[in-house]
Amino acid sequence: MIKITFPDGNIKEFEKGVLLSDIAKSISEGLYRNKLGAVVNGRTMGFRERVEEDAEVRFVDFEDEEGRDIFRHTSSHLMALAVKRIFPGVKFAIGPAIKDGFYYDFDLEEKLTPEDLEKIEGEMKKIVGENPELERYEMKKDEALEYFEKLGEEFKIDLIEHLPEGETISFYKLGEFIDLCRGPHLEDLKKIKAFKLLSIAGAYWRGDENNKMLQRIYGTSFPKKKDLDEYLERLEEAEKRDHRKLGRELDLFSFHEEGPGFPFFHPNGMVLKNELLKWWRDVLVKNGYGEIETPLILNEDLWHRSGHWDHYKENMYFTKIDDKDYAIKPMNCPGSTLVYSSSPHSYRDLPIRLSEFGKVHRHELSGTLHGLFRVRTFTQDDAHVYCLEDQVEDEVFRMIDLADYLYSTFGFKYTVELSTRPEDYMGDLETWEKAEESLKKALEKKGIEYRINEGDGAFYGPKIDFHLMDAIGRDWQCGTIQLDFQMPINFDLTYIDKDGEKNRPVMLHRALLGSVERFLGILIEHFAGKFPTWLNPVQVKILPISDKFNDYAEKIKKAYEEKGIRVEVDDRAEKIGLKIRQAQLNKIPYSLIVGEKEEANEEVSIRKRDEGEKGQKNYLEFMNELLKEIEEKR
């Protein structure tokens, strides 16, 4: 017999090898019907799997992340079977659940079209109606290789060959489709009541551009049609907010074949970027940061010392100077350590806070590039704080407060994640455990809820990650705080302690905008291009009713410009209605209409973006109101 412990503390005994479905039914048939699977001793399992030992069991539904993964992983198998029926010659790669949906990669002679997606959806509905059983079974590695060699499934063979010798491999059979798969899956296909295939994309096998290009179908699925409809509405709204589209329309930035993945910022985009950075620089100065600038190119030896050569080389660009090897920096931290080490420090000097708006270059695969969200060069609002061990907690508190101030300025809600030691890490376990414990204690003492993201830390230290929630409910990983005991060792950083002995500082890495370019992309989509007045490239557009009032418009413009307001006059010989529409399309916060009455009374007729007419006001009185709005970052 084995003991099963439930979340409420209740314990039941079952025979060893009991099916999870039978455990669920022992509680109630209703629970069994409403749940999708379970988490057993931390591992997600399906109802058709057996429990062989004492376990803690928590049943999950679609509201749980594990439940959604079961649901959508099964959906990817459903789609794969439909594709096999329509395209019998297809070869299968991988088909995981992902955030908000699933995908499957196929090797097909035919180029898939949107019309094909409709056919595949139709076949999926038919299969759900048939409700075939999802059967799980196991094979030894050599049996599995033989089986898939007969089928000519080269990608499955590749996956099996990379598995350890002697490992037992699980498979799932759905109708005519058999997949190498850990699972878990739904027991009942009819639970997949609502699904939609969304798009087709190219994807290299194993993400390597030297491998074969496959066709990837993205889809999503829900237990209820209402949930699917709401999700599709959000997607439609997201499409309207696409920063690449708005970037073109608002003339903010562009991309060109001459520099794939390298953004070109236009004058409007530079205003947006510079206003953001000007404000953030002022905030950092008030918070005790000194700004530095370090070179873009540094010699190879530096990157060996920092650990980037061993842990990050494939993401770096290289060059030669005077026949010696150099690298273009992918991160700013090694340069910052050289600034710190350029003069001696006492314990009385610490903490030393150094900020840097450093341009970095990272090699990203062409298939992963995506507007400002994934580029090959970007600016980081980096900072490196050198402090004593007993100052770490206070410095982390200060950084968290800074993050809160930053994100609340733009109306973002956020969640926090603690990312722990990755497989490819630098240093010893004891130091890592100390670093992770320090960050945990700081978060808990600050009273901040967080989740653990196992294995996603930087190679040199654990990190606190901030996830922003935008105006339409999407999640963006943004800022980070990293605790690093390794780099001070690698660069032999020291300070003189109160006993006159050399000691090692602790290094904190901090980027809260993260990639400035990516943050701008997030802002564009969050505000749908309608930026707060203080950030908008053009804050006021003055619209004369006819050219008779151009001089009055210019007088107002001059007064506003002298106060630092970004203002333009639309003096084209066009009807006022067209000028108003153009200002709306350009998402200008305020349009000021001037004609005979306004000139006589030294007034302006005010139109506010999204709110329409706001009446007349003396142009200097309105100017002072506008300056207050800009100053307060409303």
Side-chain angles (χ1 to χ4, degrees):
M1 302 296 286
I2 57 172
K3 289 180 179 177
I4 302 298
T5 305
F6 300 103
D8 62 1
N10 279 338
I11 297 172
K12 282 190 171 188
E13 287 197 344
F14 296 88
E15 284 189 14
K16 185 180 178 183
V18 62
L19 283 168
L20 263 174
S21 56
D22 289 335
I23 297 175
K25 287 173 188 173
S26 79
I27 299 171
S28 79
E29 284 288 338
L31 179 131
Y32 166 65
R33 281 195 305 274
N34 292 323
K35 298 295 181 180
L36 305 175
V39 178
V40 180
N41 286 341
R43 185 168 77 88
T44 308
M45 295 173 65
F47 277 137
R48 291 188 182 275
E49 295 183 70
R50 298 181 183 275
V51 184
E52 303 287 349
E53 60 187 6
D54 291 352
E56 292 182 1
V57 173
R58 171 172 60 89
F59 290 103
V60 293
D61 56 26
F62 196 78
E63 296 306 307
D64 301 294
E65 188 179 341
E66 300 92 345
R68 287 194 296 277
D69 282 351
I70 294 170
F71 192 93
R72 285 168 170 161
H73 191 178
T74 309
S75 303
S76 79
H77 280 237
L78 169 62
M79 177 175 73
L81 173 57
V83 169
K84 186 174 178 66
R85 287 185 176 181
I86 296 168
F87 303 99
V90 65
K91 301 297 178 197
F92 298 95
I94 56 169
I98 55 173
K99 182 175 165 52
D100 293 333
F102 58 89
Y103 71 78
Y104 213 113
D105 289 344
F106 303 102
D107 184 16
L108 273 166
E109 286 184 16
E110 301 90 341
K111 186 164 175 57
L112 291 168
T113 65
E115 292 73 28
D116 290 323
L117 295 190
E118 289 179 28
K119 286 183 204 167
I120 296 164
E121 269 183 30
E123 191 62 35
M124 287 169 72
K125 285 174 187 165
K126 191 173 153 191
I127 294 164
V128 171
E130 297 166 11
N131 199 21
E133 193 177 326
L134 251 166
E135 302 172 56
R136 183 183 188 275
Y137 59 98
E138 296 178 345
M139 287 187 210
K140 294 288 186 189
K141 184 175 177 179
D142 53 354
E143 292 177 296
L145 276 172
E146 186 182 344
Y147 179 81
F148 280 106
E149 277 166 3
K150 282 179 186 170
L151 294 177
E153 291 283 4
E154 60 185 279
F155 307 106
K156 300 299 178 188
I157 293 165
D158 187 13
L159 290 170
I160 295 166
E161 283 175 343
H162 284 82
L163 293 172
E165 286 302 324
E167 182 161 320
T168 299
I169 303 164
S170 62
F171 297 84
Y172 283 83
K173 181 176 185 293
L174 180 66
E176 312 92 271
F177 174 60
I178 297 175
D179 204 3
L180 164 74
C181 182
R182 281 199 187 93
H185 290 286
L186 294 175
E187 193 172 31
D188 182 4
L189 217 60
K190 284 196 170 175
K191 286 186 173 175
I192 308 175
K193 296 187 188 301
F195 49 82
K196 180 75 180 168
L197 301 187
L198 301 168
S199 62
I200 305 156
Y204 292 109
W205 171 237
R206 291 190 177 277
D208 186 338
E209 57 193 352
N210 298 311
N211 289 339
K212 189 178 240 183
M213 172 69 84
L214 306 172
Q215 296 186 75
R216 175 175 295 178
I217 299 178
Y218 284 100
T220 192
S221 57
F222 292 86
K224 296 175 186 170
K225 186 176 183 302
K226 174 177 137 315
D227 295 334
L228 174 64
D229 290 342
E230 285 173 3
Y231 177 74
L232 294 176
E233 278 176 29
R234 286 200 304 275
L235 278 188
E236 196 176 322
E237 180 60 30
E239 197 173 330
K240 290 178 196 167
R241 293 168 179 259
D242 189 321
H243 75 283
R244 295 166 298 180
K245 171 175 159 287
L246 289 169
R248 286 191 300 272
E249 290 174 4
L250 301 176
D251 197 23
L252 301 174
F253 61 87
S254 58
F255 287 89
H256 301 274
E257 285 181 12
E258 291 81 354
F262 298 93
F264 290 70
F265 278 90
H266 299 195
N268 282 347
M270 285 307 297
V271 171
L272 188 65
K273 188 176 183 182
N274 288 336
E275 283 299 309
L276 175 66
L277 295 186
K278 177 181 157 194
W279 165 70
W280 193 228
R281 273 189 166 100
D282 288 345
V283 170
L284 294 182
V285 168
K286 287 171 188 168
N287 279 270
Y289 286 85
E291 186 173 342
I292 63 171
E293 182 176 284
T294 63
L296 278 174
I297 300 174
L298 294 161
N299 72 16
E300 182 184 308
D301 176 63
L302 176 93
W303 304 105
H304 282 285
R305 276 188 284 158
S306 69
H308 288 85
W309 193 270
D310 293 327
H311 300 271
Y312 207 74
K313 185 180 176 184
E314 67 279 3
N315 295 100
M316 294 169 65
Y317 295 112
F318 301 94
T319 187
K320 278 189 179 290
I321 301 175
D322 299 332
D323 292 325
K324 290 182 181 174
D325 293 320
Y326 285 74
I328 302 168
K329 68 175 177 180
M331 295 183 193
N332 299 302
C333 32
S336 175
T337 66
L338 297 184
V339 173
Y340 176 89
S341 65
S342 63
S343 57
H345 301 286
S346 156
Y347 71 96
R348 291 190 186 90
D349 301 328
L350 304 183
I352 292 171
R353 305 182 188 101
L354 302 178
S355 71
E356 179 174 14
F357 293 92
K359 179 78 85 173
V360 297
H361 290 72
R362 297 179 186 176
H363 177 60
E364 302 283 359
L365 296 174
S366 57
T368 65
L369 299 175
H370 182 79
L372 296 179
F373 291 159
R374 185 64 74 92
V375 290
R376 286 173 169 157
T377 183
F378 55 93
T379 311
Q380 282 188 305
D381 71 316
D382 243 332
H384 300 95
V385 175
Y386 303 89
C387 62
L388 309 175
E389 272 197 50
D390 63 7
Q391 293 172 332
V392 166
E393 190 176 272
D394 188 54
E395 288 304 308
V396 171
F397 286 173
R398 291 171 68 103
M399 289 175 178
I400 291 170
D401 289 342
L402 204 52
D404 186 70
Y405 178 66
L406 167 63
Y407 304 140
S408 61
T409 297
F410 298 101
F412 287 118
K413 292 179 181 174
Y414 61 87
T415 56
V416 173
E417 205 170 65
L418 177 61
S419 298
T420 59
R421 188 183 74 251
E423 284 184 24
D424 180 25
Y425 67 91
M426 184 169 67
D428 61 83
L429 282 175
E430 189 183 339
T431 305
W432 268 89
E433 284 165 6
K434 182 166 74 167
E436 288 175 7
E437 196 55 36
S438 296
L439 291 184
K440 278 181 189 173
K441 278 183 181 171
L443 286 169
E444 285 160 11
K445 202 164 177 183
K446 193 76 174 162
I448 291 175
E449 286 186 23
Y450 66 94
R451 64 183 285 268
I452 299 283
N453 185 10
E454 293 286 355
D456 202 41
F459 66 83
Y460 47 79
K463 58 194 177 96
I464 295 169
D465 289 325
F466 295 87
H467 289 256
L468 306 188
M469 186 77 75
D470 75 5
I472 57 172
R474 293 173 301 176
D475 179 276
W476 304 94
Q477 197 279 314
C478 198
T480 184
I481 298 167
Q482 302 170 358
L483 179 53
D484 183 1
F485 288 92
Q486 309 299 333
M487 219 161 279
I489 297 169
N490 294 354
F491 285 93
D492 193 24
L493 304 185
T494 60
Y495 66 89
I496 304 301
D497 67 19
K498 55 187 162 190
D499 299 320
E501 299 294 326
K502 280 189 175 182
N503 219 321
R504 233 176 263 296
V506 178
M507 187 174 178
L508 284 160
H509 305 245
R510 189 238 65 206
L512 297 180
L513 296 171
S515 155
V516 173
E517 284 73 8
R518 186 167 183 271
F519 192 80
L520 288 172
I522 294 168
L523 284 185
I524 292 167
E525 299 206 1
H526 178 58
F527 290 118
K530 297 172 183 177
F531 304 109
T533 305
W534 71 273
L535 260 187
N536 213 73
V538 178
Q539 295 164 322
V540 174
K541 198 90 162 182
I542 304 171
L543 313 177
I545 287 174
S546 75
D547 58 9
K548 285 191 293 183
F549 308 105
N550 285 353
D551 289 345
Y552 179 53
E554 288 295 334
K555 173 185 167 183
I556 298 169
K557 180 188 176 195
K558 187 180 176 188
Y560 283 22
E561 281 180 334
E562 284 175 358
K563 294 292 185 180
I565 294 168
R566 295 187 292 278
V567 57
E568 291 179 353
V569 173
D570 186 348
D571 56 6
R572 295 174 299 163
E574 299 285 358
K575 290 183 178 176
I576 191 65
L578 186 141
K579 291 182 181 183
I580 291 169
R581 279 195 301 278
Q582 189 63 53
Q584 286 173 329
L585 285 172
N586 291 337
K587 307 187 192 301
I588 307 296
Y590 291 98
S591 296
L592 306 182
I593 298 158
V594 294
E596 188 174 350
K597 182 183 168 189
E598 287 80 11
E599 184 175 33
N601 298 322
E602 295 217 316
E603 290 182 337
V604 288
S605 288
I606 304 161
R607 284 187 66 90
K608 190 172 182 182
R609 183 179 60 196
D610 291 338
E611 292 183 23
E613 293 179 14
K614 304 297 283 184
Q616 287 79 35
K617 197 165 277 188
N618 175 274
Y619 78 89
L620 291 175
E621 186 185 340
F622 174 70
M623 180 185 77
N624 290 326
E625 287 178 9
L626 186 60
L627 287 169
K628 196 164 188 292
E629 178 184 336
I630 292 166
E631 185 188 350
E632 291 174 359
K633 303 285 182 288
R634 283 191 229 144

